[in-house]
Amino acid sequence: MRNAGSGSIAYNSRPSLLHRSLREKPLLARSASGHKIILEDGSEILDACGGAAVAIIGHGNQEVISAIAEQAQSISYVHTGTYTTSAAEQLADLLVGHKPYGLSKAFFVGSGSEAVDGAMKLARQYFYERGEVQRKHFISRRQGYHGNTFGSMSISSNLSRLEPYRDILLPYVSHVSPCYQYQYQTSDETTDGYVARLAMELDAEFQRVGSDSVIAFVAETVVGATSGCVPPVPGYLAAMQAVCKKHGALLVLDEIMCGMGRTGTLFAWEQEKNAAGEPVVPDIMTIGKGLGGGYVPISGLLIHEKVVTVLEEGSGSFNHGHTFQAHPISCAAALAVQKVVQRQKLVEHCARMGNVLGGYLWEYLGNEDYVGDIRGRGLFYAVEFVQDKIEKKSFDPKVQFGLVVQKQAHKLGVAIYPGMGTVDGSKGDHILIAPPFTVQEKEIREIVLAVTKAYRIAVALVRGAL
Ligand SMILES: *Cc1c(COP(=O)(O)O)cnc(C)c1O
């Protein structure tokens, strides 16, 4: 493997494309196949994060490419007001045709943010049709991310992304504490005690805004980029669902990043059980990133029969829509990706490889001075860095520790996803590792070795600044 150039290259000319940064130009990626991204200079990067946990079957899969080409040949676009396509019908059938846990309809859009906005509007319409028009409020959590459109951004609390818009967000939104054991469960508290405290806080927020005023509680089943792969503690989601039920509100789970097999089960909430041992089934859930594996932009909603019935027996239509909803090429591509996942039993493989990844991370990094926590599920792992392990004190944000580790890993030829503001939006550092489900043990070892080496270099680089 040849070494990759570092981070970014300075501008020598002004590009027409508005990049994320107006000062630095991203690297030019020339091609990608399997688990590798090939850069302009020929260097190869092992893709250990699939972008943002998107590329679940790697790059350049011929079966998916053929499905896209065939769909484009037969029918590339029709408006959903008048037409449907077999690609869209088949994708919906694959996901909810067997009514898993009562989820009975799918709705496809272009991005995760659109999916969250759609979920918010659907939840509101559900109550509107039931005559509960006074329900206007959404409750979500601090340290959670749901998207960048105004609706989804309003319920998000990824502070750095909110900053210029904070004063013009939707009203009727409030945030409660995240379920983030490493930083926020106190040392004299049991896990059950922690869950009880969070349930009381949510209940108090319902009471504060008005028990019959809330549309939904929205949460990521496993928090993704904001705090780095934070799974809920046992019993947490069931307790939150019980609070929602008590006040007649809906439970919306955002699995745009953690869903579609990433945590080792198709839906991450399948691993969350109530006291009776039943999974915590959401009323509406969102899926995205892994759905199309990065071959096309596609995200979606999966909707429980309970919600569908109210619309069916009421107005008879979801008063919402997009030009590109259920786009045939997107649906055909996602269908092909999901068929590969099913045929190759990649969700099961993901669960097995996840144990391998967790094992290696603990083995190589578990005893390091600045590694506070290693956590995750399936092929969805994060390492949280702290300056002081006893106090769990974060680095000075100016040090940008996580970003330095990510940049060094990239120089060593491995792409991982950095995160800052892990703890509260301003302090805290983590890196996120989310390789394709098709990853093999040898590559996992390669990834963890590179991350360990990058961590050591980062420590040497920042030591002077501590
Ligand atoms: C990425 C993400 C979104 C937003 O999806 P986009 O496609 O970027 O709009 C929403 N929720 C979660 C949990 C995500 O990880």
Side-chain angles (χ1 to χ4, degrees):
M1 190 189 298
R2 283 173 56 191
N3 281 354
S6 70
S8 315
I9 33 183
Y11 282 153
N12 39 24
S13 66
R14 201 161 185 257
S16 307
L17 184 62
L18 178 59
H19 291 292
R20 285 178 182 244
S21 167
L22 288 157
R23 298 194 210 292
E24 285 181 6
K25 193 169 158 186
L27 301 165
L28 183 62
R30 196 177 65 198
S31 64
S33 83
H35 302 163
K36 296 278 174 67
I37 299 165
I38 321 290
L39 304 182
E40 194 182 18
D41 65 1
S43 57
E44 290 185 0
I45 304 293
L46 177 58
D47 189 2
C49 57
V54 171
I56 61 171
I57 59 166
H59 305 273
N61 183 290
Q62 281 308 322
E63 197 174 321
V64 181
I65 294 168
S66 301
I68 292 171
E70 279 163 28
Q71 186 62 45
Q73 288 287 352
S74 66
I75 183 162
S76 54
Y77 177 76
V78 281
H79 196 277
T80 48
T82 313
Y83 309 101
T84 185
T85 60
S86 73
E89 299 291 343
Q90 281 182 56
L91 180 61
D93 275 343
L94 177 135
L95 292 167
V96 295
H98 53 301
K99 294 197 169 46
Y101 305 94
L103 297 171
S104 67
K105 285 210 187 275
F107 182 80
F108 301 115
V109 291
S111 72
S113 303
E114 280 173 66
V116 171
D117 275 21
M120 292 169 75
K121 288 179 75 173
L122 181 60
R124 163 66 188 177
Q125 194 183 335
Y126 167 81
F127 286 114
Y128 185 88
E129 303 224 352
R130 284 167 46 121
E132 297 179 58
V133 293
Q134 81 288 353
R135 287 191 187 262
K136 298 175 185 171
H137 203 98
F138 289 95
I139 303 177
S140 59
R141 304 183 301 179
R142 288 191 288 282
Q143 289 308 92
Y145 181 63
H146 300 292
N148 266 337
T149 52
F150 267 101
S152 60
M153 181 175 60
S154 294
I155 61 167
S156 298
S157 65
N158 194 312
L159 297 177
S160 60
R161 299 181 192 193
L162 276 178
E163 189 46 41
Y165 318 110
R166 199 193 299 268
D167 296 340
I168 52 170
L169 298 175
L170 291 185
Y172 309 122
V173 175
S174 48
H175 296 96
V176 293
S177 299
C179 179
Y180 182 176
Q181 186 171 36
Y182 174 67
Q183 289 287 353
Y184 293 115
Q185 181 177 333
T186 60
S187 53
D188 58 358
E189 200 170 41
T190 61
T191 299
D192 286 349
Y194 183 43
V195 169
R197 170 158 67 90
L198 292 171
M200 263 165 63
E201 183 192 343
L202 182 62
D203 189 61
E205 188 55 23
F206 269 93
Q207 312 274 3
R208 189 187 70 81
V209 301
S211 174
D212 65 349
S213 305
V214 179
I215 294 172
F217 173 63
V218 188
E220 291 170 83
T221 310
V222 176
V223 176
T226 317
S227 294
C229 307
V230 187
V233 298
Y236 167 79
L237 271 186
M240 299 304 115
Q241 183 170 51
V243 174
C244 290
K245 284 196 171 145
K246 175 180 166 194
H247 298 285
L250 296 182
L251 175 67
V252 176
L253 292 180
D254 182 352
E255 296 209 351
I256 287 165
M257 197 166 194
C258 65
M260 296 312 296
R262 178 54 67 190
T263 64
T265 48
L266 185 63
F267 306 129
W269 51 257
E270 289 176 272
Q271 296 174 53
E272 300 309 314
K273 304 279 164 65
N274 64 19
E278 296 151 349
V280 178
V281 183
D283 299 303
I284 303 172
M285 70 178 290
T286 55
I287 51 177
K289 296 182 167 90
L291 176 60
Y295 287 84
V296 286
I298 185 167
S299 294
L301 304 182
L302 303 181
I303 309 151
H304 197 275
E305 183 68 6
K306 156 185 164 184
V307 175
V308 175
T309 309
V310 166
L311 267 66
E312 242 164 16
E313 291 170 0
S315 69
S317 69
F318 181 21
N319 194 17
H320 179 64
H322 291 287
T323 304
F324 295 133
Q325 79 184 56
H327 192 281
I329 295 178
S330 298
C331 290
L335 181 65
V337 168
Q338 296 308 323
K339 280 184 177 166
V340 170
V341 169
Q342 287 190 348
R343 196 178 58 242
Q344 298 186 10
K345 300 197 175 359
L346 291 179
V347 177
E348 293 86 336
H349 182 72
C350 171
R352 272 196 306 278
M353 287 298 113
N355 290 334
V356 173
L357 174 61
Y360 275 126
L361 285 171
W362 278 108
E363 181 184 338
Y364 284 86
L365 286 163
N367 290 321
E368 293 294 334
D369 285 351
Y370 304 121
V371 172
D373 193 24
I374 297 170
R375 56 179 173 248
R377 265 188 204 164
L379 287 170
F380 198 46
Y381 260 88
V383 179
E384 180 172 337
F385 302 109
V386 289
Q387 189 176 337
D388 179 329
K389 276 168 92 153
I390 313 266
E391 301 286 323
K392 300 181 180 172
K393 182 172 161 273
S394 304
F395 286 98
D396 182 338
K398 287 204 278 298
V399 172
Q400 301 196 309
F401 193 85
L403 202 62
V404 177
V405 175
Q406 181 257 333
K407 286 203 164 141
Q408 292 302 326
H410 202 264
K411 277 193 187 171
L412 296 166
V414 172
I416 53 177
Y417 197 80
M420 282 163 290
T422 310
V423 179
D424 59 4
S426 56
K427 63 177 203 284
D429 293 271
H430 68 267
I431 50 149
L432 195 153
I433 303 171
F437 299 178
T438 40
V439 75
Q440 299 301 326
E441 178 156 358
K442 187 171 130 295
E443 293 164 302
I444 291 184
R445 199 158 170 271
E446 201 179 312
I447 292 164
V448 175
L449 285 174
V451 170
T452 306
K453 212 164 158 186
Y455 163 82
R456 298 241 161 82
I457 298 169
V459 170
L461 283 176
V462 307
R463 202 151 247 164
L466 301 183

